[in-house]
Amino acid sequence: MRTASRHQGIPPPDATFPGLHGVNLTLATVIFGTVHDAFELGVTDVEGDALRQQLLAMCQANLQIGGHSGP
């Protein structure tokens, strides 16, 4: 799957970006906007708990990979 991702323009995990703040802002906007929409559409309690757990794991992974601890 990783090989297929690279062919679609997704950078490797060790990539550097000149505008890291913009990348983080875009990622946060997309993730939180989509999650907000999901809750507005009425996900079940079980689905909501799963979304919360996965969102937390994704954000922690993003911070660890990027070595970024805040805005």
Side-chain angles (χ1 to χ4, degrees):
M1 188 69 150
R2 294 193 96 161
T3 304
S5 296
R6 288 202 178 119
H7 292 294
Q8 295 174 5
I10 298 173
D14 60 349
T16 58
F17 299 92
L20 187 57
H21 176 72
V23 172
N24 284 331
L25 177 61
T26 301
L27 179 62
T29 301
V30 169
I31 289 173
F32 290 114
T34 303
V35 170
H36 178 79
D37 287 346
F39 282 101
E40 280 190 348
L41 292 174
V43 297
T44 66
D45 288 343
V46 171
E47 292 169 330
D49 288 342
L51 281 171
R52 285 182 192 96
Q53 290 173 355
Q54 289 301 315
L55 183 57
L56 179 60
M58 289 170 56
C59 290
Q60 288 174 339
N62 182 50
L63 291 172
Q64 289 173 355
I65 290 171
H68 186 70
S69 60

